[in-house]
Amino acid sequence: MPSLLVVIFVVELAVQLVNTIGATTINNLIWRLYLSIPTPLAKQFTDQRQKQKEYLAVRHDLNATSSQDEFAKWAKLQRQHDKLLEELKLKKSALEAARTRFDRYLTAVRLVSTRGAQWLLPMWYGKVPMFWLPYGWFPYYVEWFASFPRAPLGSVSIAVWQGACTSILTLVMNTVVGVLGLVAAGRESRRQRQKQKQPVPAGAGNGESKKEL
Amino acid sequence: MSAALVNVDDGDALEPTLQSILDQRSLRWIFVGGKGGVGKTTTSCSLAIQLARVRRSVLLISTDPAHNLSDAFSQKFGKEARLVDGFDNLSAMEIDPNGSIQDLLAGQGEGGDAADMGGMGGMMQDLAFAIPGIDEAMSFAEVLKQVKSLSYETIIFDTAPTGHTLRFLQFPSVLEKALAKVSQLSNQYGPLLNGFLGSNGTLPNGQNLSEMMEKLETLRATISEVNTQFKDERLTTFVCVCIPEFLSLYETERMIQELASYGIDTHSIVVNQLLFPRAGSDCEQCTARRRMQKKYLEQIEELYDEFNVVKMPLLVEEVRGKERLERFSEMLVRPFVPPS
């Protein structure tokens, strides 16, 4: 068992990551990973995509066929179209149900492993000191605060450690997101500047070709 | 015996007549349907005449509210089956799908207090009309009841010109679901309702809740019986009538798909009103129309290669009266040879 200090830190990190990236994005990512594993479900999805492609092709043909001039061909396509549409609808609802089940399961796991741990761990280990403060370095009220609510006086309690982790991680996350945003914005503006520059050589090129004429 | 049967089957796959229907002795119900004005009534009358020659007794029923049987045979028909003049085994009747449900509802309220009919009777009516196709289902159920006692060998229906002639075939499943819900409700809230309604659970018009449920249940049973009969290809077939024009063809295709989804057998198409102008004819409209009809006829033959496609010419006279109908009906079994 790794040290409780580390466990708390990891749980807080997970919470922060989920908050920053977004639960839906993570769900989508895991869903895609899950589908890339060769399971029966993944095969169904490939089939579905195949059918969809087929359906689109038939619809394209149907739209390209004049019902008045080539009624027989048109009617046959229409039959095929209706049949495929029916199949697609049936399959789609089944697959959507699978996705919903998967999402529900994932959400439950995520909630238990982050929010659950976040609440349960401080309750369970409320009286356990994380580490001891050096004796006599801090005044009484600081020691009292550090050991809040139930840890022995002179130690740092799990709740306080959790709070510290949260605030540091929030800071770091904000900084990282900010820096990333700045970098992205910088790249974007550079690209735009390049775009603005580009018409000039294009115009020059035109001029040259004119000269050649 | 089996070899002969196979032979017949092989033959009729492409045979351009309705002979297969005449030969299929097990057929009990024959529907004739199509878009308005394509000659459903003429076709059904002709088919009835042909069938009357090979069957013991034939009944022709029109469920079209705008009845044309009387016109076709120049004879008045009513709600009771009546022999057609000049035949001894062909009867005809005209029923009004809306009339029969009205009769039924009127009959239902009789036991109750007339003053209170407004409430529950109205509700019953609304409920009854809210279910798609129930009016037709009721009229078919009614006809079935009548016909059972009359023992006709074959019954031909001249249906109304709607795309949803047989929509009521979905009806049992709809009603089954509704009944399940209602019975669940009445089980749950029955005691409560009975508390409101008095000790014997009577509704305002003197009906009993369980009695009403029973009635609905018998209705469902009747209609599901109709269903099983109509979905049996040995007993029932559908003859599609169309004219070689786009809209009629379109409707026919839709109808055939719909019938297939209901599980009703259909293997005959009558293409009516074909123009055959004489060789030297200088009628511009006729030749132009003939060209168009030819185009659609080719399409029909390509698309419905598993059907008996019967080609009927457009005559220069109205097909009315026994003799003309008989002459016309000949062409259902002996393919019309156009004058070259």
Side-chain angles (χ1 to χ4, degrees):
Chain A
M1 168 105 190
S3 149
L4 205 53
L5 279 172
V6 179
V7 171
I8 292 284
F9 181 79
V10 168
V11 166
E12 290 306 314
L13 183 67
V15 169
Q16 285 295 332
L17 277 176
V18 169
N19 283 350
T20 321
I21 299 172
T24 332
T25 324
I26 292 176
N27 273 12
N28 284 340
L29 199 71
I30 297 177
W31 176 244
R32 220 169 294 159
L33 279 178
Y34 177 62
L35 282 190
S36 65
I37 309 167
T39 52
L41 192 71
K43 198 176 165 297
Q44 274 182 22
F45 261 89
T46 342
D47 284 355
Q48 169 86 345
R49 225 162 290 143
Q50 191 67 33
K51 271 259 159 58
Q52 226 151 18
K53 221 177 266 173
E54 214 175 299
Y55 167 74
L56 283 178
V58 168
R59 204 174 68 172
H60 181 259
D61 282 354
L62 190 68
N63 285 338
T65 310
S66 156
S67 57
Q68 308 220 349
D69 293 338
E70 302 164 284
F71 186 80
K73 189 182 166 200
W74 180 84
K76 276 176 190 162
L77 280 171
Q78 180 78 43
R79 286 178 198 172
Q80 214 179 337
H81 172 270
D82 289 351
K83 207 175 120 207
L84 277 174
L85 192 64
E86 189 91 348
E87 277 173 26
L88 272 178
K89 260 189 199 156
L90 271 179
K91 233 180 190 168
K92 198 180 164 203
S93 59
L95 291 177
E96 262 170 13
R99 170 79 212 244
T100 317
R101 252 197 324 273
F102 183 81
D103 266 2
R104 206 179 301 146
Y105 178 72
L106 209 64
T107 310
V109 167
R110 199 189 57 234
L111 280 180
V112 166
S113 61
T114 55
R115 294 287 167 195
Q118 212 179 9
W119 283 100
L120 281 178
L121 285 176
M123 282 219 270
W124 196 254
Y125 297 103
K127 286 183 178 166
V128 176
M130 291 291 103
F131 54 89
W132 293 95
L133 295 173
Y135 182 73
W137 278 26
F138 300 101
Y140 170 77
Y141 57 87
V142 175
E143 282 192 350
W144 179 85
F145 180 78
S147 67
F148 188 81
R150 284 186 295 165
L153 199 68
S155 71
V156 172
S157 76
I158 191 164
V160 172
W161 172 242
Q162 208 175 21
C165 287
T166 311
S167 44
I168 286 295
L169 281 169
T170 315
L171 263 177
V172 171
M173 283 289 174
N174 282 344
T175 318
V176 168
V177 168
V179 168
L180 282 180
L182 269 180
V183 170
R187 208 173 286 164
E188 185 65 24
S189 69
R190 210 175 307 143
R191 198 175 302 149
Q192 267 182 0
R193 231 176 295 145
Q194 271 177 354
K195 255 186 203 164
Q196 278 167 354
K197 269 182 200 163
Q198 260 166 1
V200 183
N206 274 345
E208 278 174 14
S209 67
K210 263 180 196 167
K211 270 176 209 163
E212 275 173 22
L213 278 173
Chain B
M1 174 71 199
S2 67
L5 269 179
V6 169
N7 250 341
V8 166
D9 276 346
D10 278 347
D12 77 12
L14 292 164
E15 202 182 350
T17 64
L18 291 183
Q19 190 65 45
S20 64
I21 289 178
L22 299 185
D23 290 341
Q24 196 181 341
R25 298 294 299 210
S26 65
L27 270 186
R28 192 138 197 222
W29 316 98
I30 299 171
F31 291 88
V32 179
K35 218 165 133 53
V38 296
K40 283 186 300 297
T41 305
T42 312
T43 308
S44 53
C45 290
S46 306
L47 185 58
I49 289 171
Q50 283 299 324
L51 273 169
R53 292 183 182 168
V54 293
R55 300 286 153 94
R56 193 166 37 76
S57 56
V58 177
L59 177 64
L60 177 59
I61 300 175
S62 162
T63 54
D64 189 346
H67 295 300
N68 306 315
L69 286 187
S70 301
D71 284 340
F73 282 112
S74 315
Q75 181 189 348
K76 185 76 195 122
F77 295 109
K79 277 170 81 173
E80 302 295 323
R82 192 175 300 169
L83 271 181
V84 179
D85 289 345
F87 293 91
D88 55 0
N89 62 347
L90 172 59
S91 314
M93 63 192 276
E94 295 179 334
I95 54 166
D96 188 357
N98 293 326
S100 69
I101 194 167
Q102 237 103 36
D103 287 354
L104 189 110
L105 288 169
Q108 211 164 60
E110 268 168 23
D113 195 357
D116 284 330
M117 262 307 281
M120 228 18 231
M123 195 182 113
M124 191 60 193
Q125 199 157 344
D126 287 348
L127 187 79
F129 277 115
I131 303 169
I134 186 172
D135 45 351
E136 281 212 306
M138 299 293 302
S139 63
F140 275 112
E142 194 72 10
V143 168
L144 227 67
K145 234 184 276 168
Q146 282 188 30
V147 162
K148 255 185 198 158
S149 58
L150 292 172
S151 76
Y152 285 97
E153 205 181 339
T154 311
I155 293 101
I156 301 171
F157 287 98
D158 179 21
T159 62
T162 54
H164 303 289
T165 312
L166 295 175
R167 195 175 42 173
F168 74 88
L169 287 169
Q170 305 169 315
F171 179 73
S173 53
V174 174
L175 196 61
E176 226 149 55
K177 272 180 211 154
L179 272 179
K181 276 268 149 54
V182 172
S183 71
Q184 185 194 343
L185 275 179
S186 72
N187 279 344
Q188 278 178 352
Y189 298 105
L192 183 77
L193 269 178
N194 282 344
F196 274 127
L197 299 170
S199 54
N200 52 359
T202 42
L203 291 169
N205 63 343
Q207 274 179 332
N208 203 307
L209 194 66
S210 56
E211 217 171 86
M212 208 171 85
M213 291 290 299
E214 246 165 56
K215 259 180 195 154
L216 279 176
E217 183 54 41
T218 44
L219 178 70
R220 192 196 60 75
T222 319
I223 289 164
S224 78
E225 196 200 323
V226 181
N227 239 3
T228 46
Q229 293 231 358
F230 285 177
K231 287 185 178 175
D232 189 343
E233 62 174 292
R234 282 171 308 157
L235 292 174
T236 310
T237 192
F238 200 102
V239 178
C240 303
V241 184
C242 69
I243 53 178
E245 270 173 30
F246 173 69
L247 279 178
S248 176
L249 229 60
Y250 178 78
E251 285 278 325
T252 307
E253 165 68 12
R254 264 188 36 189
M255 192 163 69
I256 286 171
Q257 293 307 318
E258 208 171 334
L259 288 171
S261 74
Y262 297 149
I264 298 177
D265 172 67
T266 165
H267 60 264
S268 314
I269 297 176
V270 175
V271 185
N272 210 349
Q273 300 181 6
L274 283 170
L275 278 174
F276 293 107
R278 246 172 269 119
S281 169
D282 56 351
C283 166
E284 221 176 285
Q285 284 91 342
C286 308
T287 41
R289 204 156 184 82
R290 168 80 189 131
R291 252 206 312 282
M292 187 200 77
Q293 291 193 340
K294 229 177 186 166
K295 183 181 88 180
Y296 284 118
L297 209 55
E298 277 162 16
Q299 301 290 326
I300 289 175
E301 265 160 17
E302 191 189 331
L303 187 60
Y304 302 113
D305 48 356
E306 294 156 348
F307 284 70
N308 293 317
V309 180
V310 188
K311 295 174 205 114
M312 302 294 272
L314 179 68
L315 303 184
V316 286
E317 55 186 16
E318 260 191 290
V319 186
R320 282 173 70 177
K322 181 175 173 260
E323 284 75 30
R324 284 176 184 173
L325 276 170
E326 276 179 330
R327 234 176 297 139
F328 189 75
S329 74
E330 283 298 319
M331 292 184 279
L332 285 176
V333 287
R334 242 158 281 145
F336 173 72
V337 184
S340 51

